[in-house]
């Protein structure tokens, strides 16, 4: 396939910084590989070219494509291609002595970091029940993403318990890392930047010598003639600084899509790509807009969603694949009907010979997958959880199930060992080992010997902790025997054990998702009791075991339907995508909408960070829609039980954005001129006589406003308007949006069809009468 004109221009551009704004499915990897190959064809030595991306898989694919294109022409072994972390590690292996690392330094993974931070907690006598080591590591990682050190944080003199604690524990953590000749993932970037920034600053060359002879890192800063960066919208400040330092004498080309910037929660800063043209003098911007993945209706839906964002550089995707099938909308009564509908859509796709691995079901949060997984299992359909675990395979769910199994079966030693110190309560491996030895000798359960731990050689504080654990299990078991509803019992388990509170106090994005999963689990037990009032906890545990069994699904199947969060879907594509849970407070997420609610209550505008969160949710919706190649199905529920709460479903704003001529099914909240009428006798008072209408002229920005002074005195109308077709009913108090006046409240109406006028009370403006076709119900 030949390059299209925009791709060719991006490959051939030379002489100034270049931003390639690559929309979804527009062939950005093809542009990058062709650009690198073209540079080498022009005689640029491979060792003078640096290509950076985010994942090892993407880097390997990029290198493989370049090698294939240059086979027999250029030796590409000296080409620098890698992730930010691998490039940083390569630099530090060569030159890390000045920042405290030898050539053989160790890189600590997540488990290593946690163990080291636990040692810090012990050394400094800090209680893990008050704040978790992982929470401190999360805060440290956020600092490193911004390129900040512990010393800089201390110099800022910021107040607050957590800030002081992070500084205290973080300093000791860094000391132990350096003493062990080790670095964590965040250090790789921070130390590489530090190394490059200080290069040449501390030494002066002897007469006749070059600075590079004294400090070889100077040579590294001058090494590259061309630097290409993929997925630039996902860079954080320290990554952007690394690129800046390595491209000081290079022609810099960054490739990315501001509309797919969805990782702000982990430190990515979309302003890096939005501000690139302003920060790079002479920057050329080339837009890749021809989409090779999706059909026209899908692309128009994606555009309708994303164009409402203010913070974007702007582009419009188009395709030569034709309009294709209309996007299907489906309103379901609740999450169970939604799950049944999903299964039917999958069956239809399979009957159309779409391979199962080309069918994907998306959801905003992991907790939403439970009902869908259950329905797939009940229908004997295999599924794979992409980028995560099945609902009942997640650690927090397995831990809770272990507590419940131990209440049901006190002899379950496997469950005892899993949760005796989960969450941490100071009962270590040595204590458990002694209990295990005595239990094996007497042929009794671990819970039995834990009632008299002294006989196992356990002494001191450990005996008190075991006594507290056993007493708690006994009390909860008594609640089970007393017939406490299972949902309530699970909630009591999470409360009494401190499991839920430990996650809440951790305060990370991951821990919030785990709390949502726990709340969803409690809700699942509540639903189970309502649906099967004669069944017991043992029945439920048996059912869960069957759901968890590999025969019912799992996440390792190659030929299986894919289930995933939208974040996990980034970079993937499928013949058919089913986008579920499209309601306000589900998607966009409730914690994002909370900022809007607070602003409305306080009568203020959205703060920049609140608007940024909403815009990131909109970009996430755009990513979801643009994963679909030929078929897209969007579902929402009128009622949804999620996180053990009952929600009344309001269709997501992203559903209401969809263009009516590209969808099959009703677009909630869209007023159609021919579809809305008003009952007889519900007209507004007549307006005073008007002057003759002026001659027709070009429409202006406010030409939709009908000035009707009588509207201000219009009595509030009672009862809904009659509705024809699928248009929404009108009612007093209905929330409505107008592009100039913003959000207002409906107080009356007059006319019908294309002449329907709405009397809307806008805060700070008063009542305005506006043609309905220029308003949008909320």
């Amino acid at each position: 396939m030949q390059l299209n004109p925009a791709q060719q221009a991006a490959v051939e551009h030379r002489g100034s910084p270049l931003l390639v704004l690559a929309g979804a499915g527009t062939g950005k990897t093809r542009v990058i590989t062709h650009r690198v190959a073209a540079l080498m064809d022009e005689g640029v030595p491979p060792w003078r070219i640096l290509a950076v991306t985010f994942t090892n898989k993407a880097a390997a694919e990029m290198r493989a494509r370049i090698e294939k294109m240059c086979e027999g022409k250029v030796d590409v072994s000296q080409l620098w291609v890698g992730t930010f972390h691998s490039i940083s590690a390569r630099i530090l292996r060569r030159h890390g002595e000045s920042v405290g690392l030898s050539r053989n330094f160790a890189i600590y993974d997540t488990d290593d970091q946690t163990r080291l931070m636990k040692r810090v907690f012990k050394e400094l006598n800090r209680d893990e029940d008050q704040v978790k080591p992982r929470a401190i590591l999360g805060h440290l990682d956020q600092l490193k993403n911004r390129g900040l050190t512990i010393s800089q944080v201390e110099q800022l003199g910021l107040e607050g318990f957590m800030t002081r604690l992070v500084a205290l524990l973080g300093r000791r953590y860094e000391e132990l890392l350096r003493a062990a000749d080790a670095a964590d993932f965040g250090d790789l970037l921070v130390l590489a930047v530090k190394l490059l920034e200080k290069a040449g600053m501390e030494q002066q060359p002897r007469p006749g010598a070059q600075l590079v002879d004294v400090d070889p890192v100077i040579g590294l800063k001058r090494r590259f003639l061309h630097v290409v960066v993929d997925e630039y919208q996902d860079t954080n400040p320290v990554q952007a600084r690394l690129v800046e330092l390595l491209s000081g004498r290079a022609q810099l080309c960054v490739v990315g899509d501001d509309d797919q910037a969805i990782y702000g929660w982990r430190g990515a800063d979309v302003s890096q790509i939005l501000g690139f043209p302003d920060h790079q003098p002479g920057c050329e911007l080339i837009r890749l807009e021809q989409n090779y993945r999706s059909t026209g209706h899908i692309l128009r839906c994606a555009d309708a969603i994303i164009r409402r964002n203010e913070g974007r550089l702007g582009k419009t995707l188009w395709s030569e694949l034709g309009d294709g099938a209309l996007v299907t909308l489906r309103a379901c009564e609740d999450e169970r009907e939604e799950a049944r509908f999903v299964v039917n859509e999958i069956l239809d796709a399979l009957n159309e010979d779409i391979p199962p691995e080309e069918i994907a079901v998306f959801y905003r949060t992991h907790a939403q997958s439970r009902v869908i997984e259950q329905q797939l299992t009940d229908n004997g359909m295999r599924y794979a959880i992409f980028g995560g675990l099945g609902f009942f395979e997640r650690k927090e769910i397995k831990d809770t199930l272990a507590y419940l199994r131990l209440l049901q079966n006190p002899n379950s030693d496997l469950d005892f060992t899993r949760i005796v110190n989960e969450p941490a309560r100071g009962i270590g491996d040595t204590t458990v080992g002694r209990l295990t030895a005595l239990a094996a000798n007497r042929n009794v359960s671990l819970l039995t010997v834990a009632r008299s731990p002294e006989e196992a050689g356990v002494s001191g504080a450990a005996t008190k902790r075991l006594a507290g654990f056993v007493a708690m299990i006994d009390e909860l078991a008594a609640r089970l025997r007393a017939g406490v509803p299972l949902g309530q019992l699970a909630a009591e388990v999470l409360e009494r054990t401190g499991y839920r509170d430990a996650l809440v106090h951790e305060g990370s994005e991951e821990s919030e998702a785990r709390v949502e999963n726990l709340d969803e689990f409690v809700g699942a037990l509540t639903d189970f009791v309502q649906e099967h009032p004669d069944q017991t906890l043992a029945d439920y545990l048996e059912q869960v075991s069957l759901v968890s069994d590999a025969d019912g699904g799992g996440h390792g199947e190659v030929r299986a339907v894919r289930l995933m969060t939208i974040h996990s879907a980034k970079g993937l594509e499928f013949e058919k995508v089913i986008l579920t849970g499209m309601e306000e407070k589900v998607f966009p997420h409730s914690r994002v909408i909370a900022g809007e609610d607070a602003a409305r209550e306080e009568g203020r505008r959205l703060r920049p960070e609140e608007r940024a969160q909403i815009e990131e949710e909109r970009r996430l919706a755009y990513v979801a829609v643009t994963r679909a190649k030929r078929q897209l199905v969007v579902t929402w529920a009128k009622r949804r039980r999620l996180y053990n709460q009952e929600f009344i479903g309001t269709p997501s704003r992203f559903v209401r954005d969809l263009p009516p001529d590209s969808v099959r099914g009703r677009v909630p909240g869209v007023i159609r001129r021919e579809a809305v009428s008003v009952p007889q006798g519900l007209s507004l008072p007549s307006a005073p006589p008007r002057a003759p209408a002026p001659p027709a002229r070009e429409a202006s920005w406010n030409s939709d406003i009908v000035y009707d002074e009588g509207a201000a005195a219009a009595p509030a109308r009672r009862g809904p308007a009659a509705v024809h077709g699928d248009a929404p009913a009108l009612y007093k108090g209905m929330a409505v949006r107008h592009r100039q006046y913003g959000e207002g409240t409906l107080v009356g109406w007059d006319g019908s069809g294309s002449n329907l006028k709405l009397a809307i009370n806008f805060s700070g403006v008063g009542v305005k009468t506006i043609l309905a076709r220029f308003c949008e119900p909320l």
Side-chain angles (χ1 to χ4, degrees):
M1 185 176 71
Q2 292 186 337
L3 298 173
N4 66 41
Q7 291 174 332
Q8 191 69 47
V11 168
E12 295 177 351
H13 176 78
R14 304 286 186 271
S16 68
L18 173 64
L19 168 58
V20 180
L21 202 61
T26 57
K28 69 179 179 62
T29 303
R30 183 176 173 81
V31 166
I32 293 171
T33 53
H34 275 72
R35 181 177 174 86
V36 172
L39 289 169
M40 291 187 289
D41 283 345
E42 294 168 11
V44 179
W47 62 274
R48 290 277 199 175
I49 301 173
L50 169 64
V52 189
T53 189
F54 271 81
T55 67
N56 291 316
K57 179 181 177 182
E61 179 186 354
M62 191 182 297
R63 178 177 285 279
R65 287 197 192 185
I66 294 170
E67 287 176 347
K68 185 175 181 179
M69 294 173 65
C70 299
E71 190 173 8
K73 295 187 293 183
V74 181
D75 178 12
V76 300
S77 60
Q78 291 186 322
L79 183 70
W80 278 42
V81 179
T83 65
F84 281 97
H85 289 96
S86 67
I87 295 297
S88 297
R90 186 172 183 175
I91 292 170
L92 293 171
R93 294 278 182 214
R94 297 186 179 189
H95 309 292
E97 291 88 351
S98 66
V99 290
L101 296 175
S102 75
R103 288 179 176 266
N104 300 313
F105 72 89
I107 300 175
Y108 279 10
D109 63 16
T110 303
D111 289 340
D112 298 327
Q113 294 169 41
T114 302
R115 284 197 296 270
L116 184 60
M117 185 56 77
K118 288 188 175 208
R119 175 180 166 186
V120 172
F121 268 62
K122 192 170 293 186
E123 277 190 19
L124 300 182
N125 196 29
R126 291 290 167 173
D127 186 1
E128 290 189 27
D129 291 336
Q130 185 179 33
V131 60
K132 294 293 183 184
R134 289 201 311 177
I136 299 297
L137 288 170
H139 283 281
L140 286 176
D141 189 57
Q142 290 176 9
L143 293 175
K144 291 175 182 180
N145 286 339
R146 296 198 296 263
L148 296 174
T149 65
I150 296 296
S151 297
Q152 289 173 317
V153 173
E154 290 176 332
Q155 289 171 7
L156 291 173
L158 300 176
E159 294 297 324
F161 168 76
M162 183 59 76
T163 301
R164 294 194 299 270
L165 190 61
V166 169
L168 174 67
L169 299 173
R171 178 170 291 283
R172 181 55 180 157
Y173 170 81
E174 297 293 336
E175 290 172 352
L176 292 176
L177 271 177
R178 296 296 91 81
D181 191 23
D184 62 22
F185 292 127
D187 284 334
L188 294 177
L189 299 170
V190 170
L191 294 178
V193 166
K194 180 179 179 181
L195 179 72
L196 292 165
E197 286 181 333
K198 65 186 291 190
M201 296 178 61
E202 298 178 355
Q203 294 173 297
Q204 294 296 323
R206 62 182 181 277
Q210 298 294 318
L211 187 58
V212 68
D213 297 328
V214 178
D215 190 345
V217 181
I218 292 292
L220 184 62
K221 294 172 71 173
R222 299 174 178 175
R223 177 187 184 102
F224 302 110
L225 297 178
H226 291 272
V227 174
V228 182
V229 185
D230 190 16
E231 302 285 11
Y232 194 72
Q233 78 280 352
D234 293 334
T235 55
N236 59 39
V238 72
Q239 289 165 334
R241 178 59 176 155
L242 180 66
V243 169
E244 181 183 7
L245 290 165
L246 290 173
S247 60
R249 294 197 172 184
Q251 290 186 35
L252 176 59
C253 169
V254 301
V255 183
D257 184 2
D258 57 323
D259 290 335
Q260 295 187 72
I262 60 173
Y263 296 120
W265 52 274
R266 70 182 190 192
D269 185 355
V270 68
S271 67
Q272 305 286 358
I273 191 170
L274 293 176
F276 187 85
D278 296 329
H279 298 154
Q280 297 289 332
C283 175
E284 179 80 9
L285 193 158
I286 296 176
R287 290 175 170 86
L288 303 185
E289 297 177 304
Q290 183 175 357
N291 179 282
Y292 295 93
R293 174 189 301 157
S294 306
T295 52
H297 285 310
I298 292 172
L299 294 180
R300 282 193 282 278
C301 285
D303 180 68
I305 290 172
I306 198 62
R307 69 185 175 193
R308 289 180 177 269
N309 266 6
E310 296 178 3
R312 60 190 299 257
L313 295 170
K315 61 187 173 303
T316 301
L317 299 184
W318 61 276
S319 172
E320 293 181 343
L321 299 174
D323 284 343
L326 293 170
V327 173
T328 298
L329 297 186
R330 176 60 180 257
C332 304
E333 289 301 319
D334 57 24
E335 72 277 11
R336 292 183 185 80
E337 182 185 313
E338 180 181 56
R340 290 192 294 270
F341 177 74
V342 166
V343 169
N344 289 332
E345 284 292 313
I346 292 171
L347 290 172
D348 288 345
L350 295 174
N351 288 333
E352 295 171 13
D353 293 327
I354 297 177
E357 64 272 19
E358 282 290 328
I359 306 168
V361 182
F362 294 169
Y363 34 80
R364 175 63 178 83
T365 63
H366 284 295
Q368 292 169 246
S369 75
R370 179 189 64 82
V371 181
I372 299 170
E373 288 184 60
Q374 180 72 60
Q375 192 63 226
L376 289 169
T377 301
D378 290 348
N379 283 271
M381 303 180 70
R382 291 188 178 276
Y383 62 89
I385 304 290
F386 186 89
L389 299 173
F391 184 82
F392 291 102
E393 294 175 337
R394 294 162 193 160
K395 181 183 183 302
E396 60 274 14
I397 303 302
K398 282 190 167 185
D399 287 344
T400 308
L401 285 169
Y403 273 107
L404 293 174
R405 277 194 296 265
L406 190 61
L407 300 184
Q408 178 71 30
N409 176 15
N411 295 321
S412 181
D413 288 349
L414 187 64
D415 293 312
F416 179 97
T417 55
R418 182 179 183 97
I419 49 85
V420 68
N421 198 43
E422 187 66 55
R425 49 177 66 93
I427 302 174
D429 292 341
T430 301
T431 297
V432 174
R434 290 174 177 170
L435 294 177
T436 302
L438 180 59
N441 184 53
R442 295 184 177 179
N443 196 27
V444 296
S445 71
L446 287 172
L447 186 60
T448 298
V449 297
R451 298 182 185 281
S452 52
E454 300 86 352
E455 297 179 14
V458 178
S459 60
T463 60
K464 294 182 180 179
R465 297 186 186 113
L466 275 171
F469 174 76
V470 170
M472 178 184 67
I473 294 298
D474 286 345
E475 290 171 13
L476 290 170
R479 297 286 287 164
L480 172 62
R481 291 192 299 271
V484 172
L486 297 185
Q488 180 181 334
L489 178 65
E492 289 182 14
V493 166
L494 295 172
E495 179 183 355
R496 286 293 313 277
T497 61
Y499 197 106
R500 191 180 189 281
D501 285 345
L503 290 174
V504 170
H505 291 151
E506 190 173 316
S508 67
E509 186 89 13
E510 179 188 356
S511 67
E512 286 183 17
R514 294 175 68 192
V515 170
E516 289 176 347
N517 291 337
L518 290 175
D519 291 341
E520 176 65 12
F521 177 78
V522 172
L525 266 174
T526 301
D527 291 346
F528 176 81
V529 171
Q530 292 175 351
E531 295 171 7
H532 310 284
D534 299 330
Q535 295 193 13
T536 64
L537 176 60
D539 296 315
Y540 180 77
L541 294 173
E542 178 181 326
Q543 182 191 89
V544 168
S545 297
L546 294 175
V547 171
S548 303
D549 187 79
D551 290 339
H555 63 283
E557 294 289 337
V558 176
R559 292 190 60 80
V561 175
R562 275 22 180 185
L563 272 62
M564 66 192 74
T565 65
I566 303 169
H567 280 102
S568 299
K570 175 83 184 303
L572 303 178
E573 57 183 42
F574 303 92
E575 282 292 315
K576 181 166 189 169
V577 167
I578 306 170
L579 178 55
T580 66
M582 293 297 286
E583 302 114 52
E584 294 286 293
K585 297 189 177 180
V586 177
F587 189 23
H589 197 283
S590 57
R591 61 173 169 261
V592 174
I593 294 179
E596 286 186 329
D597 294 340
R600 190 176 298 111
E601 291 175 5
E602 297 166 14
R604 59 172 174 80
R605 293 181 179 272
L606 285 176
R607 298 188 179 102
E609 63 272 15
E610 293 168 340
R611 183 173 297 282
Q613 287 183 321
I614 290 292
E615 295 209 343
E616 182 157 317
E617 288 286 287
R618 190 172 288 281
R619 293 194 292 268
L620 191 59
Y622 173 83
V623 166
V625 170
T626 54
R627 300 311 94 193
K629 294 193 283 188
R630 297 296 180 272
Q631 296 183 31
L632 174 63
V633 178
V634 179
T635 67
W636 62 280
K638 299 175 184 177
R639 297 189 317 278
R640 183 180 300 275
R641 190 172 186 83
L642 186 64
Y643 319 136
N644 197 32
Q645 298 180 53
E646 188 79 29
F647 293 93
I648 301 301
T650 302
S652 169
R653 64 195 69 188
F654 308 139
V655 175
R656 301 198 302 267
D657 289 340
L658 301 180
D661 57 351
S662 287
V663 302
R664 179 172 60 247
R666 177 174 174 249
V667 183
V670 172
I671 291 182
R672 302 174 189 259
R673 283 178 292 177
E674 72 283 2
V676 180
S677 65
V678 183
Q680 294 295 321
L682 287 181
S683 59
L684 296 174
S686 299
R690 287 185 172 277
R697 57 191 175 88
E698 183 178 350
S700 64
W701 64 270
N702 62 349
S703 61
D704 57 317
I705 299 177
V706 180
Y707 293 99
D708 185 348
E709 300 305 324
R717 299 301 168 200
R718 305 286 182 183
V723 177
H724 299 283
D726 56 2
L730 302 179
Y731 57 89
K732 174 195 171 185
M734 185 178 190
V736 183
R737 180 188 289 120
H738 179 261
R739 67 184 181 214
Q740 179 197 359
Y741 295 121
E743 294 182 10
T745 302
L746 184 65
V747 297
W749 54 82
D750 188 20
S752 64
S754 61
N755 294 317
L756 176 66
K757 291 179 286 186
L758 305 181
I760 307 169
N761 186 14
F762 296 98
S763 178
V765 178
V767 175
K768 296 288 183 181
T769 302
I770 304 174
L771 288 173
R773 64 178 180 269
F774 296 104
C775 300
E776 176 189 6
L778 300 177

